[in-house]
Amino acid sequence: MSFKKEQKGLNTNNDKIIEFTLIYNRYKKRLYNYLLKLSGDEMITEDIIQNVFLKLYDNYSMKSKNPESINYWLFKSARNEYYNYYNKNKRKTTIDTLLENDKTEKYEIENALELKELKKLIMRELDNMDFEQREIYLLKEYGGLNYKEISETMDIEVGLVKSRLYKVRQKLIDKISKIIKQ
Amino acid sequence: MNNLKEIINNYFDNELNKSEEIMLFTQLSQNEKAREYFKEMNLLRTIVDETETEFPDNLDARIFNSIKTKQEAPIKSYTASKILSYISYLFAIILLALSLFFYSESKKYQDKLEITEFKIQKQTEMIQVLFNTLPQAEVKGEIDNAIIVTPKM
C-alpha cells in the first residue's frame, strides 16, 4: 500500500468516524429511551443499542444514506433486534424495575412526589396496554418519529398510527385526571 | 370537539403547519373544553419528558471501543497478508534454486553421455582398423574345381 493510498484511507476513516459520531449523538438518547421503555431492561437495551450502532458503522456510507433513512433504519433495526430477542426469550417487561433504577431525579418541583406517582402510573399503564398501542406511543414520544416514519417502521397505515396514538393518550389522560382530581 | 382534539394531538406531534396553528389558538381562546384538553396534553407531555432516562456513559465507551477494535482489524489483516506474500516469495526463490540445480545436474549427465558416445564410436573405428590388418584367407579345394574364397572388406 503506497503512502498516498494509506493517507487517503485514513482520511476516509476519519470522515466516517466524524459523520458516525454526529449521527450517534443525534439519535442515541431517543433510541435508548424507546428501547428501554419497550424492553424494560437496561442490559438488553444496551446490547441492542451497541449492535445497532455497530451495524450502522459497518454499513454506513456517507453518499448513500440521508438523515431520514438513517432515522428510519435505526428504529427499524432496533425494533427487529428487540423482537428477535423477545421471541427467543419471551421475557415479560418489568417497568417497576425500570422505575426503581431510574437515576434521573432531576426535577426540583414542589410536587415531586406527585410527579413520581404520575410517572409510575404512566409507565404501568403503558405496560398494561396492547403491544401495538404501546409501541406506537414509545416510537412517538421517545423515538421522536413522525406519523409517516412510525407507519413505515411498523408497516401500518398512517391513519391507524394517528388513531392508536389518540387512544393511548386518551387512556393516559383519563388516568392522570383521576389522580390530579383526588 | 373530537376534530379539535385531533388537531391538538397533531400540534403536540409537530404535524401542524403555521396556518393550522393560528386556527388552533383561535379555537383555544374560544373553547374552554379544548383549553382543558390542551392543558392535559401538556401535562402528559411533561410527565413523559420526565420519564426520559439519560444515555449511560459506559455504553458510549463500549460502542466506541468496539468501533476502534473494528478499525484495527484491517491493519492486522494487512500485516498478515504481507507476511503471507513474503512466504510465497521465499517459496518461489527456493523453487527457482532447485530447478537451476537440477538443470545443471542434467547438463553434466548430457556431457558425460556425449563423451561416452564419442568413445564408443572411436572404439568401433579402431576395431575395424584392426580387423583390416589381418592377412587374407585362401581356401583351396582338393578336387579339380578350385574354389578360392577371398574376404572382401
Side-chain angles (χ1 to χ4, degrees), chain A residues 1 20 24 28-29 33 37 47 50 57-58 107 119 122 137 141-142 146-147 166 169 173, chain B residues 5 9-10 13 15 40 44-45 48 50-55 60 62 66-67 70-71 78:
Chain A
M1 198 186 278
F20 172 80
Y24 173 79
K28 66 175 185 181
K29 196 179 171 187
N33 271 285
K37 265 73 182 179
D47 285 348
Q50 186 180 6
Y57 183 79
D58 285 342
Y107 46 86
K119 275 168 69 175
I122 296 255
Y137 191 71
E141 296 297 341
Y142 298 104
N146 61 35
Y147 295 153
Y166 177 77
R169 280 174 175 157
I173 284 172
Chain B
K5 277 184 176 177
N9 269 273
N10 287 346
D13 292 335
E15 302 270 351
E40 286 169 344
L44 180 63
R45 176 57 56 87
V48 168
E50 287 293 334
T51 60
E52 272 198 2
T53 314
E54 281 304 312
F55 194 84
D60 277 333
R62 229 171 92 181
S66 307
I67 288 171
K70 270 179 184 281
Q71 277 183 325
Y78 172 70

Side-chain angles (χ1 to χ4, degrees), chain A residues 130-145:
Chain A
D130 289 346
F131 217 77
E132 289 85 5
Q133 283 190 341
R134 182 158 67 107
E135 206 191 345
I136 288 178
Y137 191 71
L138 297 179
L139 281 170
K140 180 73 231 171
E141 296 297 341
Y142 298 104
L145 270 62

Side-chain angles (χ1 to χ4, degrees), chain B:
Chain B
M1 182 59 193
N2 275 346
N3 188 37
L4 204 54
K5 277 184 176 177
E6 194 186 326
I7 296 170
I8 292 169
N9 269 273
N10 287 346
Y11 171 77
F12 278 96
D13 292 335
N14 294 322
E15 302 270 351
L16 281 190
N17 58 42
K18 283 285 163 196
S19 62
E20 284 172 324
E21 268 186 37
I22 293 165
M23 196 197 80
L24 170 68
F25 284 110
T26 315
Q27 289 283 328
L28 285 174
S29 63
Q30 294 162 357
N31 190 329
E32 200 180 326
K33 277 189 176 176
R35 261 202 313 276
E36 192 61 33
Y37 184 73
F38 190 89
K39 278 181 193 170
E40 286 169 344
M41 278 288 288
N42 203 31
L43 178 66
L44 180 63
R45 176 57 56 87
T46 311
I47 297 164
V48 168
D49 286 348
E50 287 293 334
T51 60
E52 272 198 2
T53 314
E54 281 304 312
F55 194 84
D57 290 338
N58 66 321
L59 187 55
D60 277 333
R62 229 171 92 181
I63 290 169
F64 280 93
N65 276 339
S66 307
I67 288 171
K68 201 180 165 191
T69 318
K70 270 179 184 281
Q71 277 183 325
E72 281 168 1
I75 298 165
K76 275 181 190 167
S77 69
Y78 172 70
T79 321
S81 69
K82 224 174 175 183
I83 290 167
L84 205 71
S85 61
Y86 283 140
I87 291 168
S88 55
Y89 284 144
L90 191 70
F91 188 67
I93 289 165
I94 291 166
L95 274 179
L96 192 70
L98 277 173
S99 54
L100 277 172
F101 171 75
F102 286 120
Y103 175 74
S104 65
E105 284 295 303
S106 67
K107 192 82 181 156
K108 274 181 199 170
Y109 281 112
Q110 200 180 357
D111 292 345
K112 273 184 186 174
L113 188 72
E114 272 179 27
I115 292 163
T116 316
E117 263 183 9
F118 181 73
K119 277 180 182 172
I120 289 167
Q121 201 180 346
K122 283 284 168 195
Q123 280 173 354
T124 315
E125 280 172 12
M126 183 65 76
I127 289 165
Q128 278 180 348
V129 171
L130 287 170
F131 196 71
N132 286 339
T133 55
L134 289 172
Q136 280 190 346
E138 199 172 292
V139 181
K140 282 185 179 178
E142 286 182 358
I143 51 176
D144 294 339
N145 293 332
I147 299 162
I148 298 162
V149 179
T150 315
K152 282 182 182 176
M153 298 287 253

Side-chain angles (χ1 to χ4, degrees), chain A residues 163-180:
Chain A
S163 70
R164 281 183 181 169
L165 204 54
Y166 177 77
K167 278 180 193 166
V168 174
R169 280 174 175 157
Q170 206 54 52
K171 278 183 195 171
L172 295 175
I173 284 172
D174 288 346
K175 293 281 174 186
I176 293 170
S177 303
K178 278 178 193 169
I179 295 265
I180 300 281

